[in-house]
Amino acid sequence: MKRTAIDLICENVPGVLRDVSTVIADHGANIVYTQQFISELRGYKGRALIHFEIEGEDIESLINSLRDIPTVFDVSMHHTFEDIWGKRVIVIGGGAQVSQVALGAISEADRHNIRGEKISVDTIPLTGEDTIADAVEAVSRTHRASILVLAGSLMGGMISKEVKRLREDGIPVISLNMAGSVPDESDLVVSDPIQAGTFAVMHIANDAMFDIFRIRGRRF
């Protein structure tokens, strides 16, 4: 079924999510992704914004029923995040290295996106073993995350354990050639940060002839 994104502006009270999801279920639609937060938009500040991505047939009828819920102020239909932002490359590590990996990833993503792909690049410069380990652990819970690049000069300990878990979850990991045990746990080790970002995008692009898993364990 085609996926559709629906945004709702609702009163921030208990039971709203229950009422909305009940209506969606009553129309035979399936929720495949949702997020909720308190809106800062002008005119809706302090109200709940609920984003749903659903699979269903009679979307117009569903939207009309959602508008009939007393606690719902507005309902709008959009393209899904996958349609807009596409697959995500996640880059985590030190500021200087992260910026260079991002440079390679963004440049390569631009080549593919011009031809109709949708690949986005998300980065965060972090320091400290626990902080980076927490970020790596969160990648598996990040919507549309397709690959991780770890950019730094020294990573190991808990970070390596989270890298191993992430790979077991099916998300490939590229590491810069750094000190510590993270390179040993990664799928690919690359010395040049710009090339690491380029490889990451090439692996997840539909129109690229590059597969990390065919050269797993190699160092470049």
Side-chain angles (χ1 to χ4, degrees):
M1 289 186 183
K2 178 178 174 56
R3 292 189 179 184
T4 303
I6 298 176
D7 282 0
L8 298 89
I9 301 292
C10 308
E11 192 173 347
N12 185 26
V13 294
V16 171
L17 188 59
R18 174 203 60 207
D19 296 340
V20 170
S21 59
T22 297
V23 170
I24 293 174
D26 288 344
H27 280 73
N30 182 44
I31 300 171
V32 295
Y33 176 76
T34 184
Q35 66 176 18
Q36 179 179 351
F37 54 92
I38 304 304
S39 176
E40 295 293 331
L41 296 175
R42 185 179 302 170
Y44 294 121
K45 188 175 179 65
R47 291 178 174 172
L49 193 156
I50 310 176
H51 173 85
F52 288 105
E53 295 185 5
I54 62 173
E55 293 175 337
E57 297 293 344
D58 194 356
I59 302 300
E60 292 296 332
S61 175
L62 170 58
I63 289 176
N64 290 333
S65 295
L66 291 171
R67 286 175 175 150
D68 290 336
I69 300 175
T71 52
V72 174
F73 299 105
D74 184 65
V75 182
S76 56
M77 187 166 60
H78 306 277
H79 294 292
T80 66
F81 287 148
E82 184 174 358
D83 290 336
I84 298 170
W85 301 107
K87 304 171 184 176
R88 298 171 79 173
V89 177
I90 311 295
V91 186
I92 298 172
Q97 293 96 331
V98 162
S99 64
Q100 291 301 294
V101 173
L103 176 62
I106 291 169
S107 298
E108 183 67 18
D110 184 60
R111 293 179 55 246
H112 297 281
N113 291 349
I114 286 175
R115 299 196 291 266
E117 290 252 21
K118 291 293 179 64
I119 298 172
S120 54
V121 181
D122 297 272
T123 68
I124 181 168
L126 296 172
T127 59
E129 179 182 337
D130 292 340
T131 303
I132 296 175
D134 288 343
V136 173
E137 187 275 333
V139 171
S140 62
R141 297 182 281 110
T142 301
H143 189 220
R144 298 173 293 100
S146 300
I147 191 168
L148 170 66
V149 184
L150 286 172
S153 56
L154 170 62
M155 292 187 190
M158 288 302 300
I159 304 172
S160 297
K161 293 180 180 179
E162 295 301 339
V163 167
K164 184 177 180 179
R165 292 193 186 104
L166 191 64
R167 291 178 58 204
E168 290 172 351
D169 288 336
I171 297 180
V173 178
I174 295 176
S175 167
L176 294 189
N177 193 11
M178 65 177 83
S181 56
V182 159
D184 295 331
E185 296 293 344
S186 302
D187 292 291
L188 192 65
V189 180
V190 183
S191 297
D192 182 355
I194 294 178
Q195 189 64 54
T198 302
F199 277 156
V201 172
M202 289 175 62
H203 175 71
I204 66 175
N206 293 329
D207 60 352
M209 302 297 292
F210 179 77
D211 186 352
I212 284 177
F213 301 126
R214 295 181 62 183
I215 54 174
R216 174 178 282 168
R218 296 279 299 277
R219 293 179 180 241
F220 294 92

